[in-house]
Amino acid sequence: MKFFIDTADTAEISELAAAGFVDGVTTNPSLIAKTGRPFKDVIKEICQLIDGPVSAEVTAKDVEGMIAEGELLASIATNVAVKVPSTWDGFMACRALSTRGLTVNVTLCFSANQALLAAKAGATFISPFVGRLDDLGLNGMEVVREIRTIYDNDKSLKTEILASSIRTALHVKEAAMAGADIATVPPAVLRNLAKHPLTEKGLASFLADWDKTGQAIL
Ligand code: E4P
């Protein structure tokens, strides 16, 4: 499973990219607002930092507006993935933009049927929002599993499953086990994947014993 980073914070992206963990980046209007910077500048800078897809979301609600915005966003850099919502207009915009050869991420997906429509409309990525479903007491990961089954049952569907709204390390593990192609992970959650108390405890005792030897490797 590939890792996208769910942030518009360019300092975080640079640091995680240098560590080799960034296959792509996803942004949304809320993440852009958090930066306090102009949208196009942020997207351009992220696209220069990494080679993989960088999702930039349209804000128009109608199909013509989404297509026009999507074309403009795609002109910022060749690795922009235009993000459109899982609405009827969004699916039509997805078809138009993907037919023109653009990379399209269909976002705000909360059901397997929306994912089926997105794939039939030529989406490059479908983004089921796991955490927001869990917030309502529903099972977000079950939607990822349903989409995996539907896409595997029809080999003509080429859309990649991008597990989104990932909030915990458990979500990351479950997305990988459910067959998601990609998880988009907030930086803090990505760092949490390395943590285990037994690793910390074991390291402390190994190093305490090592100190007793009085040796140095270098
Ligand atoms: C990704 O594309 C989404 O914008 C993001 O994962 C949403 O996450 P949230 O539900 O934690 O805001």
Side-chain angles (χ1 to χ4, degrees):
M1 185 175 76
K2 286 175 272 187
F3 284 149
F4 286 3
I5 306 301
D6 202 20
T7 184
D9 181 331
T10 51
E12 287 273 32
I13 294 165
S14 297
E15 196 181 319
L16 293 168
F21 286 122
V22 184
D23 298 306
V25 167
T26 52
T27 71
N28 61 40
S30 306
L31 293 171
I32 294 293
K34 253 195 204 172
T35 69
R37 299 179 54 203
F39 182 25
K40 293 173 208 163
D41 292 357
V42 176
I43 295 299
K44 192 172 180 183
E45 196 177 323
I46 299 172
C47 286
Q48 287 165 348
L49 289 172
I50 66 152
D51 295 330
V54 175
S55 290
E57 189 159 341
V58 301
T59 54
K61 289 197 201 152
D62 62 301
V63 60
E64 289 80 16
M66 287 186 205
I67 293 170
E69 288 184 3
E71 286 182 329
L72 187 144
L73 293 172
S75 74
I76 295 174
T78 53
N79 54 336
V80 166
V82 178
K83 227 175 173 192
V84 298
S86 295
T87 58
W88 192 255
D89 282 54
F91 295 127
M92 288 195 288
C94 173
R95 186 179 300 288
L97 293 165
S98 60
T99 300
R100 290 168 208 188
L102 301 182
T103 303
V104 183
N105 176 359
V106 175
T107 190
L108 288 167
C109 168
F110 293 97
S111 77
N113 277 334
Q114 288 177 321
L116 180 57
L117 276 180
K120 293 187 85 69
T124 316
F125 306 113
I126 182 68
S127 293
F129 273 37
V130 173
R132 292 190 192 195
L133 283 164
D134 286 4
D135 287 345
L136 297 186
L138 300 168
N139 187 340
M141 210 52 74
E142 190 54 30
V143 174
V144 174
R145 281 189 280 273
E146 288 171 356
I147 299 170
R148 181 74 281 155
T149 301
I150 288 167
Y151 285 6
D152 287 350
N153 284 346
D154 183 346
K155 298 294 177 210
S156 73
L157 303 177
K158 304 293 181 206
T159 304
E160 289 192 85
I161 302 172
L162 200 182
S164 301
S165 190
I166 293 288
R167 307 267 177 78
T168 65
L170 181 60
H171 277 157
V172 177
K173 180 179 81 173
E174 288 185 339
M177 290 173 68
D181 300 288
I182 311 151
T184 188
V185 186
V189 175
L190 185 66
R191 290 192 176 89
N192 278 344
L193 300 186
K195 291 184 188 161
H196 198 291
L198 289 179
T199 304
E200 298 305 322
K201 192 176 167 203
L203 188 59
S205 83
F206 281 161
L207 294 182
D209 288 342
W210 177 250
D211 283 348
K212 289 178 207 156
T213 72
Q215 300 180 55
I217 294 174
L218 290 177

